[in-house]
Amino acid sequence: MIDDDKIWIRPTDIKNWNYCERIPFYHYYGGKGIYKTASMEYGKHLHELQTALEDRNKGRKYGILNLRKSQAVILMDSASSLSGRLDMLLYDENESVYPVEFKNIPGRPSINHIGQLVSYAFLLKANQYNLGDHGFIFNIGKKHLYKIDLEPEQIESIRGIVDKIREYIYYERLPEPTKHKGKCRNCEFLRFCNDIF
């Protein structure tokens, strides 16, 4: 078993958990040896471009008066062992905050993308930010902004997901694969899953 104090979970792990429960497990045990798919590399490139564009953008698309922005905001919560880097944080004139994630996705954000955004909302609340009632996911490729409601019960559910991921890692138990085998075709961990086909 691994020292439980060394297991920190990232919002990206929660996104991946909602896609396939094995991915965070493999990330933790696979380390830096995983290969990046072409779509992952392209998404990273678009993400960097969008970050640079946001420096010049006045932010009118967000519909927040007297907007102030911070990019690459590092958030940590030692009580839950959750930490990550939020793409952008918006502040309104009352100092309420709204998390923003940039994604290169084919359409609307799915549950895994929303789970990542909600994870950042959890971290913001844990760090005593005055969290607004919504956040945003900006689809870089489609240039479309999605406003995502942040429900209190969704935010609190993150703690249970973090505990579940940490338990699988701590006890070195491989989670069950996704039931949707189509997700496996472009997975960077396909070569590790010998029991799916």
Side-chain angles (χ1 to χ4, degrees):
M1 283 187 283
I2 294 168
D3 183 0
D4 193 36
D5 293 338
K6 295 180 183 175
I7 303 172
W8 279 80
I9 304 300
R10 304 163 300 155
T12 304
D13 294 325
I14 293 171
K15 176 191 75 155
N16 290 332
W17 175 267
N18 287 330
Y19 190 77
C20 173
E21 294 179 4
R22 286 187 171 183
I23 296 174
F25 180 87
Y26 286 138
H27 266 286
Y28 193 87
Y29 285 106
K32 304 277 184 208
I34 61 169
Y35 87 97
K36 301 289 183 199
T37 64
S39 64
M40 291 166 75
E41 290 297 332
Y42 181 64
K44 181 179 176 188
H45 173 70
L46 288 179
H47 196 279
E48 291 166 356
L49 289 174
Q50 184 61 38
T51 300
L53 287 173
E54 283 294 338
D55 284 337
R56 297 181 301 181
N57 183 341
K58 299 283 187 223
R60 284 186 283 271
K61 66 184 171 194
Y62 299 105
I64 297 173
L65 297 175
N66 300 321
L67 174 74
R68 191 166 49 89
K69 301 186 282 188
S70 294
Q71 292 197 50
V73 178
I74 304 295
L75 298 164
M76 296 179 73
D77 176 44
S78 56
S80 64
S81 297
L82 182 65
S83 68
R85 189 182 81 186
L86 176 63
D87 290 337
M88 191 164 64
L89 188 60
L90 307 176
Y91 299 79
D92 70 13
E93 57 193 0
N94 299 317
E95 291 300 305
S96 290
V97 296
Y98 306 85
V100 181
E101 273 294 291
F102 305 138
K103 297 291 174 201
N104 182 36
I105 49 180
R108 295 185 61 79
S110 62
I111 191 162
N112 53 314
H113 304 114
I114 293 169
Q116 183 178 12
L117 184 70
V118 172
S119 301
Y120 284 116
F122 176 92
L123 283 168
L124 289 165
K125 282 188 68 103
N127 283 277
Q128 307 302 312
Y129 282 85
N130 182 22
L131 183 65
D133 63 353
H134 62 278
F136 300 95
I137 294 177
F138 183 69
N139 186 332
I140 301 168
K142 303 283 185 191
K143 303 283 185 231
H144 191 85
L145 183 69
Y146 294 93
K147 180 179 172 182
I148 309 294
D149 291 333
L150 299 172
E151 303 292 337
E153 57 274 0
Q154 276 182 307
I155 295 168
E156 193 49 41
S157 74
I158 295 302
R159 188 179 310 277
I161 296 170
V162 168
D163 289 345
K164 220 179 275 187
I165 295 170
R166 290 178 84 231
E167 182 181 318
Y168 275 104
I169 293 168
Y170 180 74
Y171 290 108
E172 300 178 10
R173 286 194 340 248
L174 182 65
E176 288 296 314
T178 178
K179 291 178 175 57
H180 308 285
K181 303 302 181 213
K183 293 179 176 181
C184 302
R185 286 192 184 95
N186 294 318
C187 179
E188 70 264 40
F189 297 111
L190 177 60
R191 63 185 178 196
F192 296 113
C193 288
N194 296 324
D195 61 343
I196 56 168
F197 294 114

